[in-house]
Amino acid sequence: MADPPPLTERLDAFMARANAAYYASHDPFADFTTAPEISQVFGEVLGLWAAVTWQMLGSPDMVMLIEAGPGRGTLMADALRAIGRAMPAFRAALSLRFIETSPRLRAEQATRVPDAVWHDSLDDVPEGPTILLANEFLDALPIRQFIRRGEGWKERFVSEGAFVERPHADVLPDAPDGSILERCEPAQAFVAALGTRFARHKGAALFLDYGPEHSGYGDSLQALAGGKPADPLAAPGLADLTAHVDFAALAAAARAAGASVHGPAPQGMFLAELGLFQRANRLARGLPPAQAAAVMESVRRLGEPNRMGRLFKALAIASAGCPPLPGLGG
Ligand code: SAH
C-alpha cells in the first residue's frame, strides 16, 4: 500500500503526486487530445525541423534525439518516417531517447517506437550532441502558486480538497491584493540543465506548449477529467492537471545557463513556416475527397489563430552562437 498523502501539501507536491497517479493509471488520451494525435503532419514537420537543426549543429556523427513526455509515441513515429525519407544520414546518426515516467505509457510508446531507450529524467541521458523535442510536456510539471494578501505574499497549500494559505518569506513584486503568481521550478530546472549540456556539447531543444508570451498574474491551474473541466483539487489522480507555461521565465533560465533562445513564436506561424499546409496538401492529393478534407481540417485546427495556432507557442533553446533555427527567425 502507498503511504497516505500528508494532510497539508504544498501545491507543487500535490500536483506532482496527482499527475504521477493519473499518468500511471489512466489513458490520458481518453481525456484530451494533442497535436500529434490530431495530424500526422505535426510530427513529420517536427522531424524535418530536427533534421535541419542537426545540420545547423554541424551534422555530428552521433546525436541523442530525445523526446520528453512522448505520450503514445505518435509524434516520434511520424518524425522518424519523415526523417528517414528526407535525411537518412540524420536517421543513421541518431540515438533515440524517451524521458517518460509512466510505465503504462512506456509500454504504449514501445509499440510505435521499439528502438527507443527510456529514461526517468534528463539526468540519466548520456551526454553528447543532443536534439530534444517536447510537446505538452512542461504544462504537466508541478507549479507553486503565491497569492498577494495585504502587504505581503502567502503560498498556496492543499488540504482536504481546498486551498489553505501559509506565510511566504521570499520577496516578490508588488501586486494588487488577491493577485496570483505562478512558478514552475521543474520546468526552469529542466531548461537550465539543457542549457548547461548545450555549453559542453552542441544541442538544441524545441518546446511546444500553451501559455502567454509574457509572464503575468493569474491562476492557470486546470483539470480535465473525462474530457471535461474538473475541480483540480477534488480528486487527485483522476484528472489531468496542467498549468500555462511561462515562456519568458524559461527563456530567462536558458539565457542564465548560457544558451541562445529562439522564439517564442505562435504555433500557427511556426508550423506554417515549416510547411505544414504544403505537406498536408500533398498528403491530401492522393486521398478520396472526404479523407482529403479531414487532413486539411486537422492541420487548420493546429494552425489557425483562433484554434490552437495562437495560444500554443514554439520556443527553442540552443548552444550559444547557434544561428536562428527553422521557423523561429531562421
Ligand atoms: N507529448 C505527448 C503527450 C503529452 S501528455 C503528446 O503531445 O501527445 C504529457 C506526457 O508527459 C505524458 O507522456 C506523461 O506521462 C509525461 N510526463 C508527465 N510528467 C512527467 C515527468 N515529470 N517526467 C517525465 N514524463 C512526464
Side-chain angles (χ1 to χ4, degrees), residues 302-315:
L302 300 181
E304 285 179 357
N306 57 348
R307 299 168 88 184
M308 293 169 77
R310 189 185 296 135
L311 182 56
F312 282 76
K313 309 279 185 311
L315 173 77

Side-chain angles (χ1 to χ4, degrees), residues 23 29 32 34 36-37 67-71 99-102 105 109 120 135-137 140-141:
Y23 283 107
F29 299 95
F32 58 83
T34 55
E37 303 300 328
E67 185 178 354
I99 299 173
E100 175 61 68
T101 40
S102 159
L105 286 173
Q109 292 152 17
D120 283 327
N135 184 61
E136 288 207 55
F137 166 67
L141 300 182

Side-chain angles (χ1 to χ4, degrees), residues 313-326:
K313 309 279 185 311
L315 173 77
I317 72 161
S319 298
C322 179
L325 291 167

Side-chain angles (χ1 to χ4, degrees), residues 89-112:
F90 175 44
R91 183 70 185 90
L94 60 84
S95 171
L96 270 180
R97 308 287 169 153
F98 279 169
I99 299 173
E100 175 61 68
T101 40
S102 159
R104 190 190 163 102
L105 286 173
R106 281 187 179 199
E108 179 148 6
Q109 292 152 17
T111 66
R112 294 192 179 81

